[in-house]
Amino acid sequence: MMYVHKKMRALLLLVALLVVVVAEPDKPDSQQCHPDDEAALRAIDSSLGNPYHFASWSSDTPCCDWYDVRCDNDSGRVISLYVFQDANLTGTIPDAIANLTHLRDLTLHHLPQLSGDIPESLAALSELSQLTISWTAVSGPVPSFLGALTALTLLDLSFNALTGTIPASLAEPPYLSGINLSRNRLVGPIPAALFSKLAPQEEVYLWLSHNNLSGSIPAAWAAVNMVHVDLSRNALTGDASMLLGRGKALQYVDLSRNALSFNMSGVEFPEQVSGVDVSHNGIIGSIPAQVTNLTNLQLFNVSYNKMCGAVPTGGNMDRFDAYCFRHNKCLCGAPLAATCRRYTIKT
């Protein structure tokens, strides 16, 4: 599990660094600021109690030069607001953000005293492409109005206190290919139509871990071009083999600590996959011999299942110790201590 946590932290850090690069490019000298946007930013500042975080938001400089703000070089309209890592910033998400009518990227990250619901006023941000509200004390439901943001490509609401179900409306944005709802208190099923509007070649990144989601993984995801999937630490049941398969784009999958049950014997893995964790489920069958040929595989954990048969040997298998295979029904052979005998593998 240490690998999983490091991998997720690295991915989240990469996203944060990429957003920083996008949010703070070189700005042309004396870029003018649209008065409507300046008024909206001042209302945001006031709504949050004029915190020190916005000390640069002064009438002495155009608002396009203010910290956390990025404007379009041609129109001068504010297109990005990125408020990051301030433990002293308190209050709720200001409705005045909706008055930044050309906003494409809204990021409120690592603001532990930011609380309240996600306001419905954000539905007015019709050009919004990336919405990140993460590592805050924001609570309430995942709003269904997010499905009306047709330009949305990335939604990150991770590490909050959100409750309720995942709204079916999240299937509506036709370009939404990155969703992170991990580390909340969400319940209920995964919407069956999620990602159904995407073009077949669109790469999908999904994090739903550390919630209490239930039901099955949508069967239609067999046709979705998943690259990174983390559904760990939920209460999901049924089959998950549709996520795997030779020729798929999948690089990393974590399905650990659910109640999934399917036969692993006939499963084929994508050739480039680097991480597979299906531990702590009810998976039966044997480990496919193909895993020995997966040269990029750095994480492979099938422990705490109901699997049988010999652990494959050769290839890359020396990378994985007994921890990766223990507590199964009758797996045997190195690196396990159990000697292989004649077992009948349940199908």
Side-chain angles (χ1 to χ4, degrees):
M1 295 306 294
M2 182 68 70
Y3 177 90
V4 178
H5 295 153
K6 286 182 177 178
K7 182 78 173 180
M8 184 171 185
R9 285 198 299 268
L11 284 166
L12 291 174
L13 179 60
L14 176 60
V15 170
L17 290 174
L18 287 173
V19 174
V20 169
V21 171
V22 171
E24 293 294 337
D26 293 334
K27 300 177 181 179
D29 293 338
S30 302
Q31 184 178 11
Q32 295 302 307
C33 178
H34 195 281
D36 291 348
D37 292 342
E38 181 172 353
L41 291 168
R42 292 196 181 282
I44 292 168
D45 186 15
S46 176
S47 175
L48 293 170
N50 304 110
Y52 179 75
H53 188 94
F54 300 133
S56 73
W57 292 17
S58 165
S59 57
D60 295 337
T61 56
C63 73
C64 290
D65 293 331
W66 292 354
Y67 185 67
D68 292 341
V69 175
R70 179 194 171 202
C71 293
D72 181 79
N73 290 335
D74 296 323
S75 68
R77 301 306 299 259
V78 172
I79 59 173
S80 178
L81 179 63
Y82 184 80
V83 185
F84 177 81
Q85 200 161 9
D86 189 336
N88 297 315
L89 191 150
T90 62
T92 59
I93 298 173
D95 285 321
I97 291 175
N99 294 328
L100 297 170
T101 54
H102 292 264
L103 203 63
R104 301 174 195 167
D105 178 5
L106 172 60
T107 297
L108 306 173
H109 176 67
H110 218 296
L111 306 171
Q113 296 194 65
L114 187 69
S115 59
D117 292 359
I118 298 173
E120 190 170 355
S121 57
L122 299 187
L125 298 174
S126 60
E127 297 183 26
L128 199 64
S129 174
Q130 299 186 15
L131 174 60
T132 298
I133 303 170
S134 60
W135 293 78
T136 74
V138 167
S139 57
V142 177
S144 59
F145 72 73
L146 295 174
L149 299 177
T150 56
L152 204 60
T153 62
L154 170 66
L155 176 65
D156 184 353
L157 303 180
S158 61
F159 289 82
N160 292 303
L162 300 174
T163 55
T165 60
I166 300 174
S169 62
L170 287 189
E172 294 303 316
Y175 310 109
L176 182 56
S177 59
I179 298 178
N180 190 347
L181 303 178
S182 60
R183 302 272 182 167
N184 281 288
R185 303 168 189 171
L186 302 176
V187 298
I190 299 171
L194 199 62
F195 304 121
S196 62
K197 299 291 182 70
L198 288 177
Q201 71 275 12
E202 192 72 41
E203 294 184 344
V204 170
Y205 297 79
L206 177 65
W207 293 266
L208 298 178
S209 67
H210 292 78
N211 283 288
N212 194 29
L213 301 173
S214 57
S216 59
I217 296 172
W221 284 5
V224 175
N225 194 26
M226 298 283 190
V227 174
H228 184 109
V229 182
D230 187 351
L231 306 179
S232 62
R233 293 180 183 265
N234 282 289
L236 299 171
T237 57
D239 191 10
S241 61
M242 82 290 289
L243 298 175
L244 304 168
R246 197 183 296 266
K248 289 181 177 285
L250 190 69
Q251 296 177 10
Y252 179 89
V253 58
D254 188 348
L255 307 175
S256 63
R257 296 182 185 272
N258 280 285
L260 299 167
S261 58
F262 59 94
N263 193 323
M264 180 74 80
S265 302
V267 169
E268 292 187 314
F269 294 91
E271 292 83 350
Q272 74 288 339
V273 69
S274 63
V276 176
D277 190 344
V278 295
S279 62
H280 295 266
N281 281 290
I283 299 170
I284 62 173
S286 59
I287 300 172
Q290 182 214 3
V291 299
T292 64
N293 299 320
L294 301 175
T295 56
N296 293 332
L297 195 63
Q298 300 296 322
L299 167 67
F300 186 70
N301 192 340
V302 298
S303 63
Y304 291 88
N305 279 291
K306 300 177 181 179
M307 301 181 70
C308 281
V311 175
T313 58
N316 60 23
M317 297 306 287
D318 287 344
R319 300 172 185 172
F320 311 117
D321 58 20
Y323 173 86
C324 301
F325 309 102
R326 66 184 182 179
H327 293 283
N328 271 280
K329 183 177 180 181
C330 46
L331 280 182
C332 60
L336 296 170
T339 302
C340 288
R341 294 176 291 178
R342 288 184 177 273
Y343 291 117
T344 301
I345 299 173
K346 185 177 179 181
T347 60

